[in-house]
């Protein structure tokens, strides 16, 4: 079977560069990988696609500011009066030689980095303090993390000592032709209706940084296209999937509506 073939088992992913080959090489060589880019640009889909191509399970963890090392490694739980150790997703991935994907890793609590360091250097070892176990990651185990440089604040930044343990690939929204293909493939909306959506996105993304924290994501365009495909009027679909989704401020919302009016 050609690895480039997309079938029902392999989630659809449209590559925008050499990321698939790089992922495979990183995987084959036991190297951790960091995917950088704005929200909704295809990072998670890419990991799901590559995991399926490599025929491996992927344990995805959506990191948040309360996520601790124990959430990744595991903890003792009380079961019928007995305490029993239960592996967390990272431990499971290490034991199985699977892929562990830490989405928005900068959000996690600081103690998580302590766990990641021995796992992401030449030791490739997971140290489970609570049980005294030390697991050597088998060939095939791969740690993938993502983060959004756009959201970076001084407080939440990946320390150099952590980020320099990962290979990094920069992601961005696909070029217009590619984005058109992605939205068409994802939603089945005719190309003629997708093209203006992508044009709108291009205009909105030029605004980002000024009034908008971030430009409209491919994910939101997919939502808009789904609504339009389901018979919702374009104006209403864009109000819901673009205007209200991007901003709470009346003047910014009006600027977005004005932009929409120049295209539709
Ligand atoms: P991220 O993880 O970067 O926040 P996702 O991977 O969840 O974003 O992407 C959001 C949606 O955008 C996906 O569910 C998919 O519909 C679409 N998408 C974005 N980029 C691509 C791509 N290159 N190929 C296929 N689908 C894509």
């Amino acid at each position: 079977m050609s690895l480039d073939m997309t079938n029902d088992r392999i989630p659809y992913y449209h590559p925008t560069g050499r990321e698939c080959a790089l992922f495979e090489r990183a995987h084959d060589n036991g190297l951790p990988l960091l995917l950088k880019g704005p929200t909704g640009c295809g990072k998670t889909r890419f990991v799901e696609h590559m995991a399926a191509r490599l025929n491996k399970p992927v344990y995805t963890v959506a990191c948040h500011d309360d996520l601790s090392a124990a959430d990744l490694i595991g903890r003792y739980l009380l079961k019928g009066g007995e305490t029993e150790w239960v592996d967390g997703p990272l431990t499971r991935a290490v034991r199985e030689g699977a892929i562990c994907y830490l989405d928005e890793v900068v959000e996690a609590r600081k103690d998580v980095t302590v766990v990641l360091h021995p796992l992401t250097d030449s030791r490739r070892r997971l140290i489970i303090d609570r049980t005294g176990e030390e697991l050597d990651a088998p060939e095939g185990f791969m740690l993938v993390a993502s983060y959004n440089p756009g959201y970076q604040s001084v407080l939440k930044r990946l320390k150099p000592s952590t980020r320099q343990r990962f290979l990094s690939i920069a992601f961005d929204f696909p070029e217009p032709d590619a984005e058109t293909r992605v939205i068409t493939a994802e939603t089945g909306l005719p190309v003629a209706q997708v093209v203006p959506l992508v044009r709108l996105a291009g205009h909105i993304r030029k605004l980002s940084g000024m009034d908008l924290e971030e430009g409209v994501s491919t994910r939101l365009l997919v939502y808009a296209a789904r609504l339009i495909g389901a018979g919702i009027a374009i104006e209403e679909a864009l109000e819901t999937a673009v205007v209200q989704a991007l901003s709470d401020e009346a003047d910014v919302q009006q600027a977005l509506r004005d932009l929409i009016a120049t295209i539709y």
Side-chain angles (χ1 to χ4, degrees):
M1 185 187 79
S2 153
L3 280 183
D4 288 314
M5 215 168 82
T6 296
N7 59 28
D8 286 349
R9 198 184 62 78
I10 300 181
Y12 165 74
Y13 175 73
H14 182 86
T16 53
R18 299 255 313 136
E19 67 271 31
C20 296
L22 284 168
F23 190 108
E24 275 177 10
R25 293 294 89 78
H27 169 266
D28 296 348
N29 288 281
L31 301 172
L33 185 61
L34 188 64
L35 312 177
K36 312 188 287 183
T39 184
C41 74
K43 301 182 295 298
T44 303
R45 177 62 66 86
F46 169 60
V47 176
E48 289 165 351
H49 171 82
M50 291 308 300
R53 268 170 64 154
L54 295 164
N55 207 8
K56 316 194 69 144
V58 54
Y59 292 95
T60 297
V61 182
C63 300
H64 52 79
D65 53 10
D66 220 16
L67 186 103
S68 66
D71 293 318
L72 292 180
I73 291 185
R75 48 169 54 92
Y76 284 106
L77 293 179
L78 206 57
K79 273 194 185 162
E82 303 265 307
T83 52
E84 188 182 301
W85 174 260
V86 179
D87 282 343
L90 181 62
T91 307
R92 242 175 287 152
V94 171
R95 285 196 208 280
E96 293 175 19
I99 294 171
C100 184
Y101 175 47
L102 305 179
D103 194 8
E104 287 297 339
V105 67
V106 270
E107 296 294 332
R109 273 168 38 176
K110 285 208 182 73
D111 63 338
V112 165
T113 51
V114 178
V115 174
L116 297 186
H117 282 197
L119 197 54
T120 47
D121 56 32
S122 55
R123 287 171 284 175
R124 282 179 47 92
R125 184 170 300 150
L126 182 67
I127 298 162
I128 309 179
D129 279 345
R130 305 293 295 276
T131 62
E133 228 182 327
E134 292 199 359
L135 295 177
D136 285 330
E139 223 176 275
F141 166 75
M142 183 177 183
L143 186 68
V144 185
S146 76
Y147 89 113
N148 181 347
Y151 289 161
Q152 295 292 295
S153 70
V154 188
L155 290 174
K156 281 197 172 154
R157 204 175 267 170
L158 222 47
K159 282 201 280 179
S161 55
T162 304
R163 71 181 286 165
Q164 293 207 17
R165 292 177 138 78
F166 289 83
L167 295 172
S168 293
I169 301 181
F171 276 67
D172 206 346
F173 302 118
E175 294 298 312
D177 282 354
E179 194 161 42
T180 303
R181 239 178 290 161
V182 166
I183 299 167
T184 309
E186 287 284 286
T187 66
L189 196 69
V191 175
Q193 283 180 276
V194 173
V195 166
L197 274 180
V198 171
R199 196 176 311 137
L200 173 67
H203 290 316
I204 294 176
R205 286 170 191 158
K206 284 197 198 113
L207 289 180
S208 69
M210 300 199 293
D211 292 319
L212 288 173
E213 218 178 331
E214 207 159 73
V216 63
S217 64
T218 307
R219 181 191 295 123
L220 282 177
L221 298 180
V222 167
Y223 288 175
R226 288 230 166 92
L227 289 182
I228 294 167
I232 300 286
I234 288 173
E235 196 184 342
E236 196 181 358
L238 293 178
E239 179 71 20
T240 315
V242 175
V243 177
Q244 298 297 336
L246 287 183
S247 179
D248 299 322
E249 287 167 41
D251 53 340
V252 178
Q253 292 178 345
Q254 195 48 51
L256 289 169
R257 285 186 203 107
D258 294 344
L259 213 50
I260 291 169
T262 66
I263 288 175
Y264 288 94

